[in-house]
Amino acid sequence: MASAPKVKLNNGLEMPAFGLGTLMCKSNEGVEAVKYAIDKGYRHFDTAYAYGNENDVGTAIKEKISEGVVKREDIFVTTKLWCTYHEPSRVEDACRKSLENLGLDYIDLYLIHFPIGFVYVDDKTLIPYREGTSSILTNDVDYLDTWKAMESLVKKGLVRSVGLSNFNAEQIERVLKNCEIKPVTNQVECSIELNQKKLIEFCRQRDIVITSYCPLGRPNPSERKPSFLFENPTKAIAEKHKKTPAQIALRYVFQLGTVPIPKSVTKSRIDENIDIFDFELSSDEMKVLDKLHTGNRAGTFVKIVDSDHPYFPFKAEF
Ligand SMILES: NC(=O)c1ccc[n+]([C@@H]2O[C@H](COP(=O)([O-])OP(=O)(O)OC[C@H]3O[C@@H](n4cnc5c(N)ncnc54)[C@H](OP(=O)(O)O)[C@@H]3O)[C@@H](O)[C@H]2O)c1
C-alpha cells in the first residue's frame, strides 16, 4: 500500500495529505480505530473539542508511541476551538483543555471550528439554546479578535500551526489582511457533490491548503446516498481502476489538491480509504466527476446555525 504524501504548509511545516476523521466515534471505538490506523500508515488525525473524543485520540497515539511504533513527531494532530470559546480571554484555556484531553505537549494544528461564536454557559454546554426554542444563542465576537488569540498560542508554543474551518473566501481575506500569522488551512466540506473548486483556487493563490471534510458525503447506505458512491459514473470509473467508489471519491478530492480526512471505525474501510496513492484519475475522468457537483451539503452546521448571523459563511457563493 502506497503511503500518503505530505503537503508543505505556508509556515514551512508539513502535513500528511490524508488523515483519519473521528467525528461520532463512540468511546473505545475511537481508540481502536486510531491505533489500527497508525499500524496501517495513517499519520494525520482530525478531532475537535466538540467531538468529546480528544482523550480517545490521545490515548491511542500515546499507546502507539509507547509501543515504539511511532514517535510524537511522526504524528499530526488537528483539533478545533469550539464556538463557545471565541472570546479572546477564553481561547488559551480552551486550547489547554484540549491539550489536557489529548495528553500531548503541543497540538500540530488548531482551527477555529466555525466563524460564529456561541454564548458561553459552562464547559459542558456546547450548544446553548434560547430558552424553549431550538435557536442557538450566538454572540457577535469578531473572529479577527479570536484569531489574534489563536496567534498567541503559536507564540507560546502550545500549537505549531493555526487555521480556519468553515470560513468563506471573504472571511479568509479579512483574516489575511489583519493577521500576523497566516492560517495554513481552511477545513471545509468537500466531496464529489460539493467540489469547492472556486474556494480551492482562491486558497491556492493565497498558499492556504483546503482540508476536505465529509469527503464521502457521509454515506447513508439504506437510502443509497450520496448517489456518487452507489451509481455510475463513479461505479464504472471504480471498476476500471479496480478500486471502490469510495476510493474514487477520495482520490477525486485529493487530485483537486485537497487533503481528505474520511472517518471510519471499520478496519476494512480504514485500509480501503488510504489505499488511493497507487493510481490516478485521468483529466477526462476528473471532468466526468466534476459534473456531479450539486452544491448539496451533508454537514450539519448549515442546518443548525442561524443563517441571518452576519458571519454565517454559507450564503456567499464560495
Ligand atoms: N470542521 C468541521 O466542521 C467538520 C465537520 C464534519 C466533519 N469534520 C471532520 O471530517 C471527518 C470526515 O467527515 P464525516 O465523518 O462527517 O463524513 P465522511 O468521512 O464523509 O463519512 C463518514 C461515514 O462514512 C462511512 N465510511 C467510511 N469509509 C467508507 C467506505 N470506504 N465505504 C463506505 N462507507 C464508508 C463511515 O462508517 P464507519 O465509521 O462505520 O466505517 C462513516 O459513517 C469527520 O470525522 C471530522 O473529523 C469536520
Side-chain angles (χ1 to χ4, degrees):
M1 191 184 295
S3 64
K6 287 185 175 171
V7 49
K8 190 92 158 181
L9 304 173
N10 61 31
N11 59 6
L13 298 174
E14 290 184 325
M15 168 165 86
F18 188 88
L20 184 75
T22 64
L23 174 62
M24 292 192 285
C25 287
K26 290 179 226 106
S27 196
N28 212 49
E29 221 180 39
V31 178
E32 291 310 312
V34 172
K35 278 178 15 186
Y36 182 78
I38 291 176
D39 286 340
K40 295 298 173 156
Y42 285 66
R43 295 293 179 261
H44 172 174
F45 298 92
D46 183 82
T47 180
Y49 179 80
Y51 302 170
N53 64 7
E54 290 173 315
N55 52 345
D56 294 335
V57 173
T59 298
I61 291 169
K62 281 180 290 173
E63 274 189 45
K64 286 293 155 187
I65 292 173
S66 67
E67 281 175 25
V69 178
V70 282
K71 299 194 193 75
R72 171 65 184 95
E73 56 268 31
D74 300 329
I75 297 288
F76 191 98
V77 183
T78 303
T79 192
K80 311 180 191 95
L81 177 83
W82 183 240
C83 306
T84 46
Y85 300 101
H86 275 207
E87 284 159 37
S89 62
R90 295 194 190 279
V91 170
E92 184 171 334
D93 278 355
C95 177
R96 288 189 185 277
K97 260 182 223 117
S98 288
L99 277 166
E100 196 182 314
N101 290 342
L102 287 159
L104 300 174
D105 302 337
Y106 67 90
I107 292 164
D108 293 276
L109 173 60
Y110 198 46
L111 308 180
I112 300 185
H113 204 143
F114 194 75
I116 302 178
F118 299 170
V119 169
Y120 175 86
V121 178
D122 55 43
D123 286 336
K124 289 208 175 80
T125 309
L126 294 180
I127 304 192
Y129 289 106
R130 206 174 300 278
E131 222 179 297
T133 72
S134 59
S135 115
I136 297 178
L137 285 165
T138 54
N139 62 27
D140 56 5
V141 176
D142 187 334
Y143 52 81
L144 288 185
D145 295 329
T146 311
W147 186 255
K148 283 202 175 66
M150 297 284 283
E151 291 177 326
S152 76
L153 304 176
V154 179
K155 293 177 192 162
K156 288 186 177 170
L158 301 180
V159 314
R160 295 265 158 104
S161 302
V162 276
L164 306 170
S165 177
N166 296 299
F167 278 54
N168 65 31
E170 192 189 318
Q171 294 171 329
I172 295 167
E173 194 70 344
R174 203 171 156 247
V175 172
L176 288 175
K177 289 222 165 92
N178 292 283
C179 70
E180 241 185 281
I181 300 177
K182 277 174 77 170
V184 297
T185 192
N186 185 32
Q187 184 182 121
V188 292
E189 181 171 348
C190 178
S191 70
I192 287 180
E193 277 201 345
L194 182 71
N195 67 31
Q196 299 281 18
K197 286 205 159 190
K198 290 187 177 159
L199 189 60
I200 293 169
E201 180 53 22
F202 177 88
C203 286
R204 194 192 60 74
Q205 286 171 7
R206 289 156 181 80
D207 205 6
I208 293 172
V209 175
I210 291 282
T211 305
S212 292
Y213 75 69
C214 296
L216 299 169
R218 271 200 198 157
N220 180 343
S222 59
E223 290 184 18
R224 295 177 67 76
K225 279 193 177 149
S227 53
F228 68 75
L229 275 191
F230 299 93
E231 291 167 19
N232 282 332
T234 324
K235 243 178 109 182
I237 294 173
E239 277 161 23
K240 191 179 146 223
H241 288 281
K242 299 196 170 46
K243 293 284 175 183
T244 64
Q247 289 170 320
I248 299 303
L250 295 171
R251 181 76 204 183
Y252 173 79
V253 293
F254 173 73
Q255 282 188 216
L256 289 178
T258 79
V259 173
I261 48 165
K263 173 259 177 184
S264 181
V265 293
T266 313
K267 287 183 177 176
S268 59
R269 290 172 173 169
I270 292 173
D271 291 343
E272 176 185 334
N273 293 346
I274 200 173
D275 189 15
I276 59 163
F277 298 106
D278 60 354
F279 78 107
E280 204 171 325
L281 296 168
S282 69
S283 61
D284 283 348
E285 288 168 335
M286 289 295 286
K287 279 186 199 135
V288 167
L289 296 172
D290 286 345
K291 293 203 182 106
L292 302 184
H293 172 88
T294 60
N296 283 346
R297 287 180 190 273
T300 42
F301 272 116
V302 72
K303 293 170 195 123
I304 64 168
V305 182
D306 178 8
S307 61
D308 287 334
H309 192 287
Y311 297 153
F312 185 76
F314 304 137
K315 269 187 184 163
E317 188 198 351
F318 66 98

